[in-house]
Amino acid sequence: EVVLPPFPKAENLIPFVVSAPTRNQFFIDGDSLTVDGDDLIRYALVIRSPAGVENVFYEAIRCSTGERRLYATGRSDGTWAPARGKPWNRIRENSLNRHHAALYLEYFCPVGIVVGDADNLRRALRRGGHSGNFNRP
């Protein structure tokens, strides 16, 4: 069982660029970002529409396999609704909904492994990606 973090607060949201044909804004709750072991990253994701509607998710990315998993969705009252029976799903690169691919390839696992601890991942989000020449095969 996963322990759900406190619901994201606006002051803890770190925006990140997805570079997709979407007008949505994407954020990671910096306080929820954790690295478990050396392969699993857990985080709260906030997607804000141009109209200001927010969708909130608590998820994980497993770097070694390129998979993601949904643990909970946010309710409008600021609480979590646990996801039931959600399996690990392969992260796919596509042009419209590429926020998971952006997190995996550009921020969290640019070489197929976690690059650093949670503080390093927060810095990568604030910088717009990892510095250096990380090339995926």
Side-chain angles (χ1 to χ4, degrees):
E1 284 298 311
V2 172
V3 176
L4 299 175
F7 206 77
K9 295 180 181 175
E11 62 267 20
N12 298 327
L13 298 181
I14 304 170
F16 68 97
V17 177
V18 171
S19 301
T22 178
R23 293 179 35 216
N24 291 335
Q25 296 175 306
F26 300 87
F27 305 88
I28 294 295
D29 172 28
D31 281 1
S32 71
L33 187 60
T34 62
V35 177
D36 295 338
D38 61 357
D39 191 45
L40 191 66
I41 301 166
R42 291 191 175 124
Y43 56 90
L45 169 70
V46 177
I47 303 173
R48 185 179 299 147
S49 76
V53 175
E54 290 187 348
N55 290 299
V56 182
F57 309 93
Y58 187 59
E59 304 179 327
I61 287 178
R62 184 181 291 144
C63 289
S64 63
T65 60
E67 295 174 303
R68 67 179 180 87
R69 183 175 186 183
L70 175 66
Y71 293 114
T73 56
R75 296 183 183 119
S76 60
D77 66 356
T79 61
W80 293 109
R84 302 276 183 230
K86 292 292 184 179
W88 287 94
N89 293 302
R90 188 94 174 123
I91 295 171
R92 302 199 187 287
E93 176 74 69
N94 63 48
S95 61
L96 184 57
N97 296 313
R98 81 170 297 272
H99 52 279
H100 292 111
L103 287 171
Y104 175 65
L105 295 168
E106 299 160 22
Y107 298 96
F108 293 166
C109 317
V111 292
I113 60 170
V114 178
V115 182
D117 58 12
D119 287 335
N120 190 45
L121 298 179
R122 282 188 280 274
R123 281 191 295 276
L125 286 164
R126 289 184 180 105
R127 260 195 319 259
H130 279 281
S131 59
N133 291 326
F134 293 127
N135 294 316
R136 304 285 302 238

